[in-house]
Amino acid sequence: MEPKMRQDPSLKSRAFRPRERKQAATMNVTRNVEGLLALSQQEQLVDMSNSYPLSASEDEEDSDGERKCQKLLEAISALGGKNRWKLAERSEASLKVSEFSVSSEGSGENLVLSDLLGAAKKLPLLTVVKKQLNRVRSKKTVETPLNKEEAERTLREVAFSRASHTLSKWDPVVVKNRQAEQLVFSMEQEPSAVAPLEHMFSGWKARTPLEQDVLNLLHKNRQPVTDPLLTPVEKASLKAMSLEEAKIHRAELQRARALQSYYEARARREKKIKSKKYHKIVKKGKAKKAQKECEHLLKANPNVALEEVGKIEKARMMERMSLKHQDGGKWAKSKAKMAKFDPEARQARQEQLAKNRVLTQKLQVPPESEEEQECLAEVATLFASEGMSDLSDNAPNPWMSRGDKVQTEPEQLPELGAHEFSKSEGDGRPVVVEDILWKYCEPREFPRKRSELNHNAKPVDRQTDKDSNSLKVLSESMALSQKLSHQPRKHEMSSVGIVKEKREKQQMIDLQNLLSIKTPAVKSLAVPTIEELEGEVERDHRQLIKEAFAGDDVIRDFLKDKREAVEANEPNLDLTLPGWGEWVGAGLKSSTKKRRPLLKTPEGSQRKDKNLPNVIVSEKRNILMAGHQVQVLPLPFTHYQQFERTIQNPVGATWNTQRAFQKLTIPKVSTKPGHIIKPIKAENVGYRSSSRSDLSMLQSNPKGLSRRDYKQMRTCAAD
Amino acid sequence: MVVLVGEMEMVPKPRSHAPAKKDRLRAKRKKPRRYWEQESGASPGPPPKKRSSRPARPRSSQVLRRSRISRKAQVPKPERRKPEQTLSGAQDPFPGPAPAPLEVSRKFRRIDKSKPLPSPKSKTRSRLEAAEAEEEEASVRAARSELLLAEQPGFLEGEDGEDTAKILQADIVEAVDIASAAKHFDLNLRQFGPYRLNYSRTGRHLALGGRRGHVAALDWVTKQLMCEINVMEAVRDIQFLHSEALLAVAQNRWLYIYDNQGIELHCVRRCDRVTRLEFLPFHFLLATASETGFLTYLDVSVGKIVAALNARAGRLSVMAQNPYNAVIHLGHSNGTVSLWSPAVKEPLAKILCHRGGIRAVAVDSTGTYMATSGLDHQLKIFDLRGTYQPLSARTLPQGAGHLAFSQRGLLVAGMGDVVSIWKGPGKASPPSLEQPYLTHRLSGHVHGLQFCPFEDVLGVGHSGGITSMLVPGAAEPNFDGLENNPYRSRKQRQEWEVKALLEKIPAELICLDPRALAEVDVISLEQRKKERIERLGYDPDAKATFQPKLKQKGRSSTASLVKRRRKVLDKEHRDKVRQSLEEQEQQQQQQEKTKPPGTRPSALDRFVH
């Protein structure tokens, strides 16, 4: 709307006397104001009184005089005769003549409310109008109403947001119910029926003699029976605390609280300090203190000190595990750059490196006593053969403990053996293979053990003597037993000579004889040393066995089997085209280079027994078994390994305790027979009231909401 | 109910003038540890041995409050939490949740967390966490219920420098209580030749079959004879089926099944010339090895032959079962041991063990170690956990003809008329072959060996009859009353039978790794995925690889980026679909082309369209 007002034409056409004019002006003003009000409060009134200092009435007076003067002059000149035509003629039809025969003079100016009000100031009648005008001024303009579609859309949006807000209150409930192990219906929870003991007692009387006895006993001991909780003694003790004591106690408590708060404040302050140097110093101080304490403890209480040392050791381990002191960090890199120019940086870097060196240094763990050493050796022999040595957790890492003295041959042996094995397979020389395989089959010795043996040579000699003796006995006995197979008992008797008959029972258990003859001396063959392997005794023994089984070459057969098994699994495609690029004719062979298969097996599918020379593991898939396995991934899982993890724990009663079994097989939903399952209510899940009501209100009164109300609602929704 | 296992009670000497042998023989006895006692502080003696690896079910229902694992179980706490005062003034002597030692619970952990896992989405993660929590709780409960295992195992220990192998059975019998002493006996049965024997799964009953046709079953604890017959035919082997009521006897020609009254129930003609019998209790399978070289599996619950596998290695006379995974081990004359499952026609694995033929095979109860003895007089122990390498070996003077493992890992070898027993240093370790633990001489050559389950008794069948000898520490001291109850009544046995049948494991599930059932069949999974992709014409799970370029002047708003991406994806999708359609069309055309025309094309065909 245009903020301008045209002047009333009546004001300009005639001249009034001042009083009349004033009245007319007031009338005009009232009309104008009414018009303004009629324009439905949309007008913007601009105060422009400063730019137009002259009042309208004075202006009008001046222009009227001029006009009259001009008219007079024209009338006079018209008397001359020639210019008569001009009178009737309008020279200009432009701005100055308005449609309503009103001059548009001063059309660039605005009517300002304050002018009108200024004029109306003196009139007490216009107070009402003034008030109205003031109200108009204070109010803002109102925008045009939206069209129907938009209004409906906004309404829908708001309704949706409100509804989703009210419904989102249920989200946690829904999630909880979905994830719950079990849903119990109906949802109404009965109030817990645990009544206090005293309530139960109120209507109860002792009837049987036993009950009476019990009651008497309780009375005798002044235990509370009906009215609860505190025995008279307790009550008395409660009362016993005097006022002074209470005060002292309170003061103590206050003091403690204050101290705590001081301490907390201090800690908070210190925590905020960002200076690295400060923290470094603090840390160092702490470490020193700890060390001192540790030393002190070592004298006073060695056990606790040991624990402390363990803790320190653990801290060191943690430090070692972290990459803090490596050279690769941001800080370290920057220092490395700066080290050329800055001696401090150089120093810091060197310190860091030194610390790293200290941390990464391997600890020597000498076994503490002989017993322990023996124990370790025992463990070592247990896992003597290859691949098992790393399983012994208790023993210190052999790689760490072994010095340079011990040769590394035994470790290399398995690899070497495998290597030779593969080579010889290509050559087709089974004899070498046999030897290697045989070595492989023999349990190998642990390096630790051997070093021990080297240190004290005497026991070894004795042992070997024993072994050779026993082996001789062994071979003899074998030969004898072949001869005297039908009279083993006699043979023993003769060989031993002396048999003490302590008891009659000893007939059954003739252990002395048995031990001296049958079983060879202990510790001989379980862990043969390498020297012994080379020794003649062993060779004799092997010879014996070889002679015994000369007919069947077990190992060659096995290798053949294995080769067949391997070849059966490989894609055996002969891609050679005979004659291409070569001479042809009878008796000519295509070169080995061309015979090499072009197709290679995929690298991932290695045979399980590739490094196990004495084993053939079938690569065939168990299809019947696969039928029982899971073949489709259930939904939330994207990878089979994830799903496998969830089914690894067995559920059955065979593998679980009764309670665990019951818990694992709890039904997802439990209902009571004959109970109606009602829809879930807000009260059931801990909400105060039904949030459904808000929604219903909104739906019942969707219209009659102004835009401002929408906005308010939105802010509500956002909250 | 008293199980005299492991801990044999000493009886004071009746004769005062007898030499004091009590000191010589000292069974390692430990004070039973209560759950409120801390582990490290309580026993000043040797560290407690680990007990059974299997979670035994608690026999009494005990209410256990839930708690987290106490990680500081080893550290003795200086003071316990102050007990709460109750109304009556009584105090709870053991306040707080029952402790569960971390190590024990670790034993029952089933989820292998060492495997790397592709990072899961939040929904999946919650499921994984739930599964892990379940596992932890179950393992803690199992660990806590171990305190219900009241019996403690122990071994015979010699005095300083004394060899336990020199201790005679007579000494042991003298030292132990009367009930245990009664478990040592000899049956002098010289008439019907060397005996095979078999204990029932509960360890209560003993079946014996003499070579010359003598078959008998008895409750060996009470020495009550159930039946005794002569089948008038050579008996090769004898085996109890799932309960003591049924008895399988491998006779000269066929396999026969008798009940506990000695009445012949079945003659299985499909299994002929059987040499060895093994019963797989959880699968209800009777595995028979025959002279003809066939390994036959007979399902005794339905009476069907599940599989008959040709071992292609001649006469089969050495057989053992792996109790851990129900795989059958066959020993062959070419020095190999082959591992068999009824689901696969070929051996799962073949191990070259000896230079000569295999004489005996035995597998320990955890399925970790296999002992073999061959004609080369060697006794070897192999690791069965994937490597199949020998752990230790020993040459025996005569070579062992029979081998058997006890429940707690003792190994017995029968050599001629002598049996030697070796034991390992711990429960999980293989028996060390250096020094025998016990030895015993019999009145005849050994023909059959078995440790009695849940009793410290070794049964030896030999040419002179049957000997039952005491081997302290051989058997598991705690039995599971719902699984193998030696004291069960007839009614209980019947109930157990029904439950066991309901829980019968299909024969196809026998494989080397018994936990394979908890794995996804990856090959078929991939196959299905491929098929689905073929059906749809595109991979619905494939990632969108296209990344739109960034543009300037406001043309790179999120909406436009999405739009551009969408556009490209749609185009690719359309292309793929079009391509696959074209391919299909081409295939159809080819098929049409290859089809021989039914009728000769006529000139009027052109007007048909």
Side-chain angles (χ1 to χ4, degrees), chain A residues 347-376:
Chain A
Q347 178 79 16
R349 187 159 177 254
Q350 270 166 2
E351 267 175 29
Q352 159 105 342
L353 287 177
K355 188 150 197 192
N356 181 30
R357 225 167 289 137
V358 169
L359 283 175
T360 48
Q361 207 172 26
K362 280 165 191 169
L363 277 185
Q364 292 293 334
V365 191
E368 280 160 23
S369 62
E370 280 183 25
E371 274 182 42
E372 203 176 293
Q373 213 160 9
E374 272 174 33
C375 196
L376 288 178

Side-chain angles (χ1 to χ4, degrees), chain B residues 249-318:
Chain B
V249 180
Q251 294 179 19
N252 193 25
R253 198 69 206 281
W254 321 115
L255 172 71
Y256 288 81
I257 290 171
Y258 299 91
D259 74 350
N260 55 1
Q261 305 298 311
I263 300 164
E264 182 188 322
L265 299 177
H266 300 288
C267 168
V268 187
R269 298 232 164 101
R270 291 280 304 276
C271 307
D272 61 331
R273 301 199 175 279
V274 175
T275 53
R276 284 284 177 271
L277 295 171
E278 279 290 345
F279 185 70
L280 311 176
F282 299 106
H283 304 77
F284 284 84
L285 290 179
L286 181 69
T288 61
S290 70
E291 274 180 355
T292 52
F294 274 88
L295 170 65
T296 314
Y297 286 88
L298 174 70
D299 190 334
V300 297
S301 63
V302 290
K304 269 186 186 169
I305 294 218
V306 172
L309 310 168
N310 191 356
R312 294 173 207 282
R315 186 177 193 273
L316 300 176
S317 57
V318 180

Side-chain angles (χ1 to χ4, degrees), chain A residues 508 511 518 554 616 618 621, chain B residues 165 346 350 397 439 441 521:
Chain A
M508 201 171 71
L511 204 71
K518 289 278 167 152
V554 169
I616 305 172
S618 164
R621 191 169 160 235
Chain B
E346 63 180 32
K350 237 179 182 181
T439 43
R441 175 173 295 281
D521 183 16

Side-chain angles (χ1 to χ4, degrees), chain B residues 282-480:
Chain B
F282 299 106
H283 304 77
F284 284 84
L285 290 179
L286 181 69
T288 61
S290 70
E291 274 180 355
T292 52
F294 274 88
L295 170 65
T296 314
Y297 286 88
L298 174 70
D299 190 334
V300 297
S301 63
V302 290
K304 269 186 186 169
I305 294 218
V306 172
L309 310 168
N310 191 356
R312 294 173 207 282
R315 186 177 193 273
L316 300 176
S317 57
V318 180
M319 178 161 74
Q321 67 160 308
N322 187 340
Y324 173 63
N325 54 13
V327 166
I328 293 287
H329 293 227
L330 292 176
H332 304 296
S333 58
N334 58 358
T336 58
V337 170
S338 56
L339 278 54
W340 293 87
S341 148
V344 185
K345 293 277 176 200
E346 63 180 32
L348 300 172
K350 237 179 182 181
I351 310 155
L352 180 62
C353 298
H354 290 276
R355 186 158 279 211
I358 304 281
R359 287 180 72 190
V361 177
V363 185
D364 85 321
S365 59
T366 59
T368 320
Y369 306 112
M370 172 175 74
T372 61
S373 80
L375 282 172
D376 56 355
H377 295 219
Q378 286 237 323
L379 170 63
K380 286 185 183 177
I381 292 178
F382 284 80
D383 188 359
L384 286 182
R385 291 169 293 190
T387 57
Y388 306 106
Q389 297 304 307
L391 295 171
S392 55
R394 182 190 165 93
T395 311
L396 300 170
Q398 271 202 326
H402 298 272
L403 292 172
F405 270 104
S406 84
Q407 281 180 324
R408 297 196 63 234
L410 267 63
L411 175 66
V412 61
M415 304 161 286
D417 57 348
V418 172
V419 289
S420 316
I421 299 159
W422 292 275
K423 79 173 172 74
K427 165 86 171 127
S429 53
S432 61
L433 297 179
E434 289 193 17
Q435 188 111 32
Y437 171 55
L438 280 178
T439 43
H440 185 62
R441 175 173 295 281
L442 304 153
S443 57
H445 275 262
V446 176
H447 196 61
L449 280 175
Q450 199 191 353
F451 278 103
C452 179
F454 309 112
E455 295 281 4
D456 282 348
V457 164
L458 168 69
V460 186
H462 48 88
S463 50
I466 298 280
T467 300
S468 161
M469 55 182 282
L470 297 180
V471 183
E476 195 59 53
N478 300 293
F479 60 85
D480 184 347

Side-chain angles (χ1 to χ4, degrees), chain B residues 104-123:
Chain B
V104 185
S105 75
R106 199 172 285 149
K107 194 169 65 179
F108 298 108
R109 288 291 172 96
R110 259 52 173 253
I111 295 179
D112 182 14
K113 280 173 191 160
S114 62
K115 273 186 190 171
L117 207 62
S119 58
K121 286 185 282 183
S122 64
K123 236 182 204 176

